[in-house]
């Protein structure tokens, strides 16, 4: 496999890490993939099982009555739109995300304090318990408690598995892995839809659908037990030697000095800001980070995606396709979702985030308008839509899904995570996950009610948010493609609007030593033994850690400060 990888240093140079894509790293990625699969599976499975008649009969008798011929009162267009309007059914879908919103915050703390593995274990165990409860459910309470346990698992998985994956991966594969997580989410959704389709005629087939989530959960539990923790987490928690050994093992070489030094620096810097990141993000200079961590997940959910992912089987059933075709149509939508995510995997670094976001927003807005028109014109009081417009709705929804899959879906996770400087990274990530889960909860809990009261107008509601998101991006989203992760936040200084809030390109830059390490804060370099800091005259001072000095080799001497960039503008001009 490919060896080595360049990382850009903050001073604009490139430093080479010796990193191979080793077997250990591949296993780690497979475990991370299971985290994404679990999340996607849980999103995708509910729509199908709630459309199954035996499931409705057991847990949602009113919905069942409406679904079967003759029952549910006079057949009007209203009754088609309102067929599935049931708060408990929506709670069954949405409770997972409310639990995930709260537990992702706790997971952020546990992941930092006790390591990524502990969180993975909690995630896998909680998933396992939730799956058992749901597959064995005899009453609605068991289903809801099961969904809440899955929510705890999702909260812990999103925090720990994504972090674990990006820390284990060679640096040059980090960006791609971020989007691979989203790809796994879409594959999880598709697998769930396929299983639902496969078991549709089995009397208690829904138990199989809900129970199959146990397979990736077991893999995540085994991963939490046997995989090593990440070098980053080990070093941050003071296990420096062990961290280095794991780093050598996963990179497949003992020549890991450059990366090891950077990890020690990052750990030291992270300690110096410990306890404060959540306060940091509220400072004026980090207003773009805070805004993006809230608005991007909001827009991702209010494009209407989960109205389709959670409830497409219900929608297709309303169109008159019948249970079997409704489940099959969901599979088609799921397959388009997976295929279109590949466009993002390959296109995000070429076409850019901004272009994909704006294009996707406008594309989804247009499809919402067409669906609204088709429903308004063709969904009549006899409750059955003619074949041609019903097919039209499915085709247009596929075009909608592809917009989300190469736009708001992956970018909703990528952008908020890559714009954070170290000071706000953990807080920004926690806010992003929590806000995303809260709005997923809101959509899950309210879509069927909105559909009942707004009818086809609900699609115009989502259309409005897609347009607002696209126009907002035209004015407020700078392009971040191809910029090293630790420099992305500097882009806001050059932006016409954000520059006024954060300080413009002329504002003073942090200082770096020749290793590219920021040294206006204490930092450790050279085998973690020397501490560099700047005195008020701009001179570098070095102090040694006496305990470490007692039994360690010092390595090469510290290098003098190089580069004379006083502002982002200077820096930019120099590095071109
Ligand atoms: C969203 C999920 C959604 C999925 C659909 C993800 O980006 O966060 O809520 O179900 O995309 O593919």
């Amino acid at each position: 496999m490919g060896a080595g990888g360049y990382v850009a240093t903050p001073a604009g140079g490139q430093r080479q890490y010796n990193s191979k894509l080793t077997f250990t790293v591949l296993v780690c990625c497979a475990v991370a993939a299971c985290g994404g699969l679990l999340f996607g599976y849980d999103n995708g499975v509910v729509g199908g099982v709630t459309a199954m008649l035996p499931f409705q009969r057991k847990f949602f008798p009113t919905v069942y009555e409406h679904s079967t011929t003759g029952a549910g009162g006079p057949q009007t267009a209203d009754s088609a739109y309102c067929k599935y309007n049931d708060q408990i059914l929506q709670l069954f879908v949405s409770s997972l995300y409310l639990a995930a919103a709260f537990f992702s915050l706790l997971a952020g703390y546990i992941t930092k304090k006790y390591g990524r593995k502990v969180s993975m274990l909690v995630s896998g165990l909680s998933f396992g318990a939730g799956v058992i409860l749901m597959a064995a459910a005899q009453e609605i309470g068991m289903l809801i408690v099961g969904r809440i346990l899955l929510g705890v698992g999702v909260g812990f998985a999103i925090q720990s598995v994504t972090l674990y994956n990006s820390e284990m991966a060679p640096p040059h594969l980090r960006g791609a892995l971020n989007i691979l997580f989203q790809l796994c989410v879409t594959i999880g959704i598709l697998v769930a839809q396929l299983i639902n389709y496969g078991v549709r005629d089995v009397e208690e087939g829904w138990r199989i659908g809900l129970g199959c989530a146990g397979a990736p959960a077991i893999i995540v539990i085994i991963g939490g037990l046997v995989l090593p923790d990440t070098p980053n987490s080990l070093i941050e928690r003071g296990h420096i030697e062990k961290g280095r050994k794991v780093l050598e093992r996963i990179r497949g070489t003992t020549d890991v000095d450059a990366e090891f030094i950077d990890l020690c620096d990052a750990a030291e810097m992270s300690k110096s800001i410990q306890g404060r990141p959540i306060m940091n993000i509220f400072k004026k200079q980090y207003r773009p980070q805070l805004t993006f961590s809230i608005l991007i997940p909001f827009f991702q959910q209010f494009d209407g995606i989960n109205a389709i992912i959670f409830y497409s089987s219900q929608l297709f059933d309303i169109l008159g396709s019948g249970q079997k075709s409704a489940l099959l149509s969901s599979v088609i939508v799921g397959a388009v979702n997976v295929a279109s995510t590949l466009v993002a995997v390959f296109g995000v670094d070429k076409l850019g985030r901004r272009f994909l976001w704006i294009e996707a927003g406008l594309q989804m807005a247009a499809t919402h308008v067409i669906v609204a028109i088709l429903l308004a014109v063709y969904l009549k009081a006899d409750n059955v839509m003619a074949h041609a417009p019903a097919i039209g709705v499915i085709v247009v929804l596929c075009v909608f899904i592809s917009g989300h899959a190469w736009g708001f879906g992956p970018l909703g996770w990528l952008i908020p995570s890559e714009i954070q400087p170290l000071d706000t990274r953990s807080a920004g990530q926690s806010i992003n996950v929590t806000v995303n889960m809260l709005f997923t909860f809101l959509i899950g809990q309210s879509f069927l009610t909105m559909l009942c009261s707004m009818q086809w107008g609900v699609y115009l509601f989502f259309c409005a948010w897609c347009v607002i998101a696209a126009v907002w991006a035209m004015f407020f989203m700078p392009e971040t493609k191809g910029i090293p992760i630790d420099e992305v936040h500097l882009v806001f200084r050059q932006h016409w609007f954000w520059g006024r809030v954060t300080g413009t390109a002329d504002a003073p830059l942090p200082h770096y030593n020749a290793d590219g390490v920021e040294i206006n804060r204490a930092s450790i370099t050279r085998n973690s033994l020397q501490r560099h800091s700047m005195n008020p005259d701009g001179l570098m001072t070095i102090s040694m850690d006496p305990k470490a000095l007692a039994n360690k080799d010092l390595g090469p001497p510290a290098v003098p400060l190089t580069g004379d960039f006083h502002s982002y503008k200077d820096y930019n001009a120099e590095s071109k």
Side-chain angles (χ1 to χ4, degrees), residues 40-42 158 182 262 356 375 380 410 414 500 574:
Y41 193 91
D42 290 327
I158 294 189
Q182 169 74 14
D262 283 354
L356 278 177
L375 292 184
K380 296 292 182 202
L414 178 65
R500 290 186 212 169
E574 191 73 21

Side-chain angles (χ1 to χ4, degrees), residues 128-167:
V131 167
I132 293 173
L133 214 57
M134 290 177 70
Q138 294 304 331
E139 35 144 347
I140 184 72
M142 284 174 83
L143 281 183
I144 306 269
V145 175
R147 283 290 280 178
I148 291 175
L149 285 171
L150 293 190
V152 178
V154 166
F156 273 83
I158 294 189
Q159 289 284 3
S160 62
V161 175
T162 49
L163 197 57
Y164 185 86
N165 201 28
S166 65
E167 288 177 345

Side-chain angles (χ1 to χ4, degrees), residues 126-315:
S126 180
F127 260 126
V131 167
I132 293 173
L133 214 57
M134 290 177 70
Q138 294 304 331
E139 35 144 347
I140 184 72
M142 284 174 83
L143 281 183
I144 306 269
V145 175
R147 283 290 280 178
I148 291 175
L149 285 171
L150 293 190
V152 178
V154 166
F156 273 83
I158 294 189
Q159 289 284 3
S160 62
V161 175
T162 49
L163 197 57
Y164 185 86
N165 201 28
S166 65
E167 288 177 345
M168 292 303 244
H172 59 291
L173 291 181
R174 245 165 234 163
L177 279 168
N178 191 309
I179 297 196
L180 277 187
F181 180 78
Q182 169 74 14
L183 185 64
C184 293
V185 172
T186 60
I187 294 174
I189 294 172
L190 178 61
V191 171
Q193 289 161 332
L194 280 169
I195 291 179
N196 279 341
Y197 184 72
V199 300
R200 70 190 180 278
D201 292 329
V202 180
E203 174 55 24
E204 298 228 313
W206 56 270
R207 292 193 192 277
I208 302 176
L210 295 175
C212 282
I218 291 172
I219 298 178
V220 172
I221 295 176
I222 296 176
L225 287 173
V226 304
L227 291 179
D229 216 329
T230 65
N232 314 51
S233 173
L234 288 165
I235 293 170
E236 195 178 348
R237 289 181 293 126
H239 308 293
I240 311 246
E241 287 305 319
K242 205 167 162 196
R244 178 160 183 132
K245 284 215 178 76
V246 173
L247 186 63
E248 288 176 3
R249 200 171 125 209
I250 62 173
R251 298 292 176 249
T253 168
T254 50
D255 183 11
V256 292
D257 285 352
E259 192 173 0
F260 178 66
I261 287 168
D262 283 354
L263 289 183
C264 291
D265 285 333
E268 186 66 13
M269 222 175 246
S270 154
K271 261 186 225 149
S272 74
I273 57 169
Q274 211 167 20
R276 287 189 287 119
I278 197 72
M279 296 318 292
N280 280 343
I281 201 164
F282 291 103
K283 287 183 190 155
K284 195 167 170 228
Q285 81 207 73
Y286 298 127
R287 207 45 52 82
Q289 279 76 14
L290 181 63
T291 312
F292 277 55
S293 301
I294 295 171
L295 272 189
I296 298 264
F298 169 82
F299 286 138
Q300 191 208 55
Q301 289 304 316
F302 273 71
D303 66 5
I305 180 64
N306 282 322
I308 306 300
I309 297 295
F310 296 161
Y311 298 121
S312 59
S313 307
Q314 282 75 3
L315 181 70

